[in-house]
Amino acid sequence: MLILIFTCLLHIGLANHEQCVEQLKLYLSLPIPLQFAVAHRQIEMSGDWANKFGLYDMCLREENHYSTVMVKAEPMTFLYGFCHTNICQAKDFNAPDAQQIIKDKLEKSIISILLPINLGTASYTFIDPNTYYPDFSIGAYSTAIIIFILVCLGLMDPYKRLLDLFLDSEIKKPKGIIADFSIIENYKKLIDLKTIDPNLAIFNGVRSIAFMMVVYGHSALMTIQSTYQMELLLALQSQRAIITVDMLYSVDIFFWLGGFFMAFVMCESKRAKALAKNPVSILLVILHRLLRIWPCYIICIMFNSYLLPYFGEGPRWWQATTYTGCTAGAWRNLLFIDNFFHDWQLCFGWGWYLTSDIQLFIICLIPMAIYAFGYKRLSKFLVIGMIVASIIYGIYICFLYNFLIPAKNTDNKDFYYNYYVNSFARSPPYFFGLAMGMMYREFKQKEQNNLLAILHEKAKDTKFTLFFQIICYLLGFGIISWLIFGWKHAFLSSDPTYWPYWFQHIYSALCRLMFVFGVACLCLPNMIGIYDIFNRKAMNNSLFKFVAKISFACYLIHYMVLIILSYTFYITPTYVTIEVIYLFVGCTIITLIVGMILTLLVEMPFGTLQVKLIDYITKPKRKQQTLLGG
């Protein structure tokens, strides 16, 4: 009944809005068989049920008009696609009088009794997908010009080499800005996959798997947002929903790695002494961090806001504007304060990770500065205190807002801003990584009374080596497996207190730190020099090393690729594992290709330029002689 009413409604060809309304009244007064007869000639061009969009291209080839209608009512939202004559437009059916006729008719229909929604109070929004594109603005022109300039800079060296080849001239190595932006030179650096520190070989696999977890999680989330609402309600009680929620741990792995490498770099003896000698240089540390992030971040925000809307089409593409809008402005993102605003005016929503990472980086400069001044023990006690304080804060937040196990927080509106993007609530993995980074740096510098050094010495005993590997791997995989599958029964149980609420609050606050602790256990044998096929081969293969090098650019790009792949398809996806895998594989391949290009054209060139800028600022000024007299 519902689909028939809308299909017949949109097949009516009328001269103007008034005629549309009058014909609509007359049409809906006909018996159902006659309504069907009127519409039958063209019904095959339209979707025949919720979230099916029909033969969109055929409709337009027949010079008809296509509209999508969104029926929004609690607890479900449906989309319908319709082909109708081009005399009427979507705006005619959005008019108040036409809307009232639709609601009155549907409220009295039998379908209103069968569905668990009130069709009389639902909202009906008709969209013309062919006129939903934004105007090509100054921002779009600017973004296109900037990308064109970057491509030209990257191709200047290949063009010069090709020209020299044709002229039989000596091919010279580029210099200056041409060398900085040269695709050839940067590609040589990119494919240099030598393992610099064999004790950290496993980290390449950890970073790559974490990135793939991000892509898989967002692929499942995008499918959830696009699939059939009725099927989704059933699918959310399945194993695939549990796996989707488990992908959220990927960000905590990145936080842990961020803290680890921050301490590993800043606790290096020469760097620490330089910071102690010139404390103001800590501002250059922050500047270095910002300059590394800003170029790629700015380009991706501009592309997402101004050009991405033109990279798709179809009956569902108008929904992509949910992710491309930037109504509050990108300045929040670029100043890394977007998580301070709770107005839901998100710009480049997945950039929240960079915001939290920068905020935690700045907080951790305090113990790093104390360490540089020689108060190493005080610095370590401070880091331990930060870990404990952040855990207590997280537990307090979970009790205050009644946050349960992760899967039960998805519909909690307070969860996103008060916990998910709250930097201090998400900080335990970062602070834990900071502590491990300090410990590993001291191990590399062969400082005394270091736990890793003691374990390294004991690892010279073959029996201890095997025992230590078994303990670490069993503990690591055991913790990770329990966190991934252990909450299944508590989630699926009809009894909400299958796990007591107090236990769910504590679990929600600690699960992320526990997960990275499990990952740390897997890395520990490799960190003390115990090499095996798992940490030196499986987790350090060429693919993982390559993905790890371009993971930053890929993180920025992957969601835009998902938007294009999800909303340009006319067939509504079903939330089943195989369809999520198809989307995941396609997104991963495209993201790696585009991520490599972004790395070559933006990240690596600007990385070289920012190093030169920092060197110029820190370089001692030459003393100039003062000329006295004439």
Side-chain angles (χ1 to χ4, degrees):
M1 176 68 180
L2 181 60
I3 188 68
L4 184 58
I5 290 175
F6 278 127
T7 303
C8 297
L9 163 66
L10 292 174
H11 284 179
I12 300 172
L14 302 169
N16 52 51
H17 170 66
E18 289 76 14
Q19 289 179 327
C20 278
V21 174
E22 291 301 320
Q23 188 66 24
L24 174 61
K25 292 179 181 178
L26 176 62
Y27 178 76
L28 293 180
S29 66
L30 294 173
I32 293 298
L34 292 180
Q35 292 183 16
F36 183 81
V38 171
H40 181 70
R41 187 171 58 88
Q42 291 182 327
I43 195 170
E44 69 273 12
M45 289 187 180
S46 302
D48 57 1
W49 194 243
N51 286 17
K52 292 186 178 180
F53 299 95
L55 303 180
Y56 172 78
D57 293 321
M58 182 183 295
C59 177
L60 298 183
R61 282 199 299 269
E62 295 291 335
E63 297 185 355
N64 291 316
H65 201 81
Y66 191 98
S67 293
T68 303
V69 60
M70 179 170 63
V71 183
K72 195 169 186 179
E74 293 294 338
M76 292 171 285
T77 299
F78 296 109
L79 293 174
Y80 294 86
F82 301 105
C83 182
H84 55 91
T85 58
N86 54 19
I87 299 175
C88 286
Q89 300 180 18
K91 63 181 181 180
D92 293 318
F93 305 109
N94 286 326
D97 44 2
Q99 288 279 310
Q100 190 59 48
I101 295 172
I102 295 170
K103 291 182 179 182
D104 290 344
K105 183 65 178 178
L106 291 177
E107 189 174 23
K108 299 175 183 177
S109 66
I110 190 172
I111 197 70
S112 183
I113 301 174
L114 298 177
L115 290 178
I117 59 175
N118 189 337
L119 295 176
T121 59
S123 64
Y124 304 89
T125 305
F126 292 80
I127 300 101
D128 181 355
N130 293 295
T131 61
Y132 212 79
Y133 294 96
D135 295 332
F136 208 79
S137 61
I138 295 177
Y141 283 110
S142 301
T143 305
I145 291 172
I146 291 173
I147 293 176
F148 176 75
I149 292 173
L150 291 172
V151 172
C152 289
L153 287 172
L155 294 178
M156 285 180 67
D157 178 41
Y159 172 75
K160 186 176 181 300
R161 292 175 187 242
L162 187 62
L163 189 62
D164 291 340
L165 184 63
F166 279 117
L167 297 176
D168 293 328
S169 302
E170 179 184 357
I171 300 178
K172 298 180 180 179
K173 190 175 181 179
K175 298 179 180 179
I177 194 170
I178 296 179
D180 295 338
F181 281 87
S182 171
I183 287 183
I184 295 176
E185 295 298 319
N186 287 327
Y187 180 73
K188 290 179 181 178
K189 298 176 185 177
L190 187 61
I191 62 172
D192 182 7
L193 301 178
K194 294 180 181 178
T195 302
I196 299 175
D197 187 345
N199 287 17
L200 299 181
I202 191 174
F203 278 52
N204 289 319
V206 171
R207 188 185 295 275
S208 299
I209 291 174
F211 164 71
M212 293 178 187
M213 288 173 64
V214 169
V215 178
Y216 185 88
H218 283 156
S219 297
L221 179 63
M222 194 67 72
T223 304
I224 287 173
Q225 295 171 341
S226 307
T227 192
Y228 308 100
Q229 295 284 337
M230 296 297 290
E231 292 184 12
L232 177 60
L233 296 177
L234 298 175
L236 288 178
Q237 301 298 315
S238 66
Q239 182 68 37
R240 69 184 73 98
I242 292 176
I243 297 298
T244 298
V245 175
D246 288 327
M247 297 300 104
L248 295 174
Y249 291 123
S250 57
V251 178
D252 300 292
I253 296 176
F254 281 121
F255 282 142
W256 175 68
L257 291 172
F260 181 92
F261 283 106
M262 177 187 182
F264 177 66
V265 171
M266 296 200 65
C267 290
E268 193 268 330
S269 297
K270 293 182 180 179
R271 188 179 294 269
K273 290 178 180 178
L275 179 59
K277 185 177 181 180
N278 182 19
V280 180
S281 64
I282 200 168
L283 298 177
L284 294 178
V285 174
I286 299 175
L287 179 62
H288 171 81
R289 185 77 170 183
L290 295 177
L291 291 178
R292 181 184 177 277
I293 293 175
W294 270 336
C296 284
Y297 200 17
I298 292 172
I299 290 294
C300 288
I301 289 177
M302 293 181 69
F303 184 90
N304 183 72
S305 300
Y306 297 119
L307 293 185
L308 188 64
Y310 304 98
F311 272 70
E313 55 87 30
R316 300 172 57 221
W317 180 245
W318 57 272
Q319 292 179 292
T321 57
T322 304
Y323 306 96
T324 60
C326 202
T327 54
W331 62 273
R332 296 179 179 181
N333 299 67
L334 299 180
L335 294 179
F336 302 104
I337 57 174
D338 49 293
N339 60 352
F340 292 162
F341 298 88
H342 297 190
D343 53 11
W344 293 99
Q345 294 183 2
L346 302 179
C347 178
F348 207 82
W350 59 103
W352 74 267
Y353 160 72
L354 298 178
T355 296
S356 292
D357 184 77
I358 284 291
Q359 291 173 358
L360 293 174
F361 177 84
I362 294 174
I363 291 173
C364 289
L365 286 176
I366 298 174
M368 291 297 95
I370 294 174
Y371 188 96
F373 283 113
Y375 303 101
K376 295 183 179 180
R377 183 170 296 181
L378 177 60
S379 175
K380 294 173 184 176
F381 280 131
L382 178 58
V383 172
I384 293 173
M386 290 164 62
I387 295 173
V388 174
S390 61
I391 291 173
I392 294 174
Y393 176 76
I395 294 175
Y396 168 75
I397 290 294
C398 290
F399 271 89
L400 179 64
Y401 291 98
N402 194 35
F403 294 151
L404 305 177
I405 55 178
K408 294 185 178 181
N409 294 326
T410 54
D411 59 347
N412 191 326
K413 296 181 179 179
D414 292 322
F415 180 72
Y416 182 77
Y417 279 117
N418 291 304
Y419 194 98
Y420 190 72
V421 300
N422 183 330
S423 296
F424 198 63
R426 301 298 299 272
S427 62
Y430 199 100
F431 296 157
F432 176 63
L434 194 75
M436 287 197 65
M438 296 169 69
M439 187 164 53
Y440 182 72
R441 171 53 74 183
E442 292 181 350
F443 164 65
K444 295 294 288 185
Q445 294 176 164
K446 299 181 179 179
E447 298 185 18
Q448 296 179 350
N449 300 322
N450 182 274
L451 176 61
L452 295 183
I454 296 173
L455 293 174
H456 175 70
E457 285 298 320
K458 290 188 174 183
K460 294 178 180 179
D461 183 352
T462 306
K463 293 182 179 179
F464 176 83
T465 297
L466 180 60
F467 173 77
F468 189 74
Q469 283 178 295
I470 293 174
I471 292 297
C472 286
Y473 290 156
L474 285 178
L475 187 60
F477 283 118
I479 292 174
I480 292 172
S481 299
W482 186 75
L483 289 170
I484 290 178
F485 302 108
W487 54 276
K488 175 180 178 181
H489 295 296
F491 174 66
L492 299 179
S493 175
S494 58
D495 180 10
T497 60
Y498 183 89
W499 280 0
Y501 285 150
W502 65 267
F503 182 77
Q504 294 191 54
H505 299 328
I506 295 176
Y507 179 93
S508 183
L510 296 181
C511 62
R512 295 163 182 83
L513 178 59
M514 292 171 61
F515 191 90
V516 298
F517 178 78
V519 175
C521 289
L522 298 180
C523 297
L524 197 54
N526 189 204
M527 291 173 64
I528 63 173
I530 299 177
Y531 307 138
D532 54 48
I533 192 172
F534 171 67
N535 58 44
R536 285 299 304 273
K537 298 295 182 181
M539 295 292 283
N540 192 43
N541 60 68
S542 297
L543 175 61
F544 281 172
K545 287 191 281 189
F546 178 75
V547 173
K549 293 187 75 170
I550 64 174
S551 59
F552 172 64
C554 288
Y555 178 82
L556 294 176
I557 288 172
H558 80 281
Y559 212 89
M560 290 185 278
V561 174
L562 278 176
I563 293 170
I564 295 174
L565 292 179
S566 297
Y567 289 108
T568 52
F569 285 123
Y570 302 169
I571 300 175
T572 300
T574 303
Y575 184 48
V576 294
T577 303
I578 191 63
E579 294 210 17
V580 175
I581 291 176
Y582 286 153
L583 182 59
F584 161 70
V585 172
C587 177
T588 301
I589 294 173
I590 297 173
T591 298
L592 290 177
I593 295 172
V594 181
M596 182 182 68
I597 295 173
L598 181 65
T599 302
L600 292 173
L601 293 179
V602 182
E603 183 180 359
M604 296 181 72
F606 282 97
T608 303
L609 291 177
Q610 66 99 359
V611 170
K612 291 182 177 180
L613 176 62
I614 298 295
D615 288 343
Y616 175 78
I617 294 175
T618 57
K619 186 178 181 181
K621 304 296 181 183
R622 293 182 179 179
K623 295 182 179 180
Q624 297 181 356
Q625 295 182 352
T626 304
L627 298 179
L628 300 177

